[in-house]
């Protein structure tokens, strides 16, 4: 019962596939009613159907997270979210001089402004014991050449997590983050198929392999549950030992 989410309602942005889907499915399995979000209606419908076919509760929320009014409308219609997971993250690996400033702003809008707006909207309706979880990245505390925009967005999301924890803590709302490492998602399919990348990960990570999407599920359920009732402002790294290994 420590990890039960029965009777709670959760919204997971970007949850029709990949890590978002894995987390949403795990929340549903733990008893929550989960809103599956994405821009593609069919992908969202397929994810909802898969979860409900397993006997759990899921609903569709088809909109872009940069449409902040759409999330407000959802909460007005469905009632408050006790759990919000800000999972959407857009990545564009280019060097500085290849970016137009409008492109930078668009990426920050999705990766940083949208989580701020959704958290603000959700928190206005939340009560003590409710949870906000931001999905950051190991690219928050460390950096690589040609990835500045994503890195600064995820670093900012780490800082936002701490700030929200400080601001919402007096109301009993916990705010934490999950920082994934290298996961074998659909988006990373080309890298997963590359033997050189697999060889590099075997050397670079303590566990020596790619993470499977389902392996992030436990972190999401834990931080959303009563088991994490005295944890706030923390970033839980799920990276197979990448940051701790050299």
């Amino acid at each position: 019962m420590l990890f039960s989410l029965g009777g709670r309602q959760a919204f997971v942005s970007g949850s029709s596939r990949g890590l978002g889907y894995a987390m949403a499915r795990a929340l549903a399995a733990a008893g929550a009613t989960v809103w599956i979000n994405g821009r593609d209606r069919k992908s969202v419908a397929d994810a909802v159907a898969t979860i409900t076919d397993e006997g759990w509760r899921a609903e569709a929320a088809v909109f872009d997270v940069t449409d902040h009014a759409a999330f407000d409308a959802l909460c007005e219609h469905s009632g408050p979210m006790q759990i919000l997971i800000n999972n959407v993250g857009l990545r564009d690996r280019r060097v500085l001089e290849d970016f137009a400033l409008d492109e930078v702003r668009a990426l920050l809008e999705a990766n940083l402004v949208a989580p701020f707006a959704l958290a603000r909207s959700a928190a206005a309706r939340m009560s003590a014991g409710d949870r906000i979880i931001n999905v950051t990245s190991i690219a928050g505390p460390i950096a690589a050449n040609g990835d500045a925009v994503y890195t600064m967005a995820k670093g900012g999301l780490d800082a936002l997590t701490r700030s929200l924890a400080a601001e919402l803590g007096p109301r009993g709302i916990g705010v934490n983050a999950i920082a994934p490492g290298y996961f074998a998602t659909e988006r990373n399919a080309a890298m997963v198929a590359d033997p050189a990348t697999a060889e590099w990960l075997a050397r670079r990570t303590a566990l020596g392999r790619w993470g499977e999407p389902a392996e992030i599920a436990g972190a999401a359920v834990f931080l959303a549950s009563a088991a994490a009732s005295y944890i706030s402002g923390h970033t839980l790294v799920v990276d197979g030992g990448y940051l701790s290994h050299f």
Side-chain angles (χ1 to χ4, degrees):
M1 295 300 293
L2 191 62
F3 298 95
S4 172
L5 301 177
R8 298 173 74 74
Q9 184 164 232
F11 177 89
V12 184
S13 70
S15 49
S16 63
R17 61 178 185 169
L19 298 186
Y21 174 75
M23 290 186 286
R25 182 176 178 273
L27 297 183
T33 297
V34 178
W35 288 86
I36 302 296
N37 166 254
R39 294 177 294 183
D40 182 76
R41 190 170 299 276
K42 184 180 185 305
S43 296
V44 170
D46 288 346
V48 168
T50 300
I51 291 172
T52 55
D53 285 349
E54 292 178 290
W56 304 321
R57 293 183 293 276
E59 302 285 348
V62 184
F63 58 83
D64 190 307
V65 292
T66 60
D67 181 0
H68 310 146
F71 182 73
D72 284 331
L74 173 64
C75 293
E76 288 297 318
H77 167 72
S78 66
M81 300 293 165
Q82 286 79 40
I83 302 163
L84 168 66
I85 299 185
N86 282 311
N87 169 68
V88 165
L90 302 183
R91 194 166 199 164
D92 190 343
R93 290 183 173 94
R94 284 187 278 168
V95 295
L96 297 177
E97 56 268 24
D98 287 347
F99 276 103
L101 288 181
D102 284 349
E103 293 174 317
V104 174
R105 292 186 183 101
L107 288 167
L108 292 177
E109 184 72 29
N111 291 346
L112 192 54
V113 177
F116 175 90
L118 267 62
R120 181 173 62 179
S121 179
R125 300 169 171 87
M126 282 179 164
S127 303
D130 292 346
R131 301 282 191 273
I132 296 172
I133 301 169
N134 295 319
V135 179
T136 60
S137 172
I138 58 171
I142 60 174
N145 182 23
D147 203 18
V149 179
Y150 185 79
T151 301
M152 72 176 177
K154 290 303 185 179
L157 195 54
D158 266 334
L160 177 62
T161 299
R162 296 190 297 272
S163 297
L164 291 176
E167 184 164 340
L168 300 177
R171 293 170 49 194
I173 299 169
V175 186
N176 293 290
I178 298 171
Y182 284 79
F183 277 83
T185 61
E186 298 96 324
R187 188 168 65 176
N188 291 332
M191 294 174 65
V192 173
D194 179 20
T197 302
E199 182 183 348
W200 174 75
L201 277 177
R203 299 192 310 269
R204 184 61 183 82
T205 63
L207 295 183
R209 60 175 176 84
W210 284 92
E212 294 300 325
E215 292 182 295
I216 204 167
V221 172
F222 168 62
L223 290 176
S225 73
S229 59
Y230 199 56
I231 299 174
S232 197
H234 177 72
T235 297
L236 176 57
V237 178
V238 185
D239 69 346
Y242 183 97
L243 290 182
S244 63
H245 182 75
F246 67 92

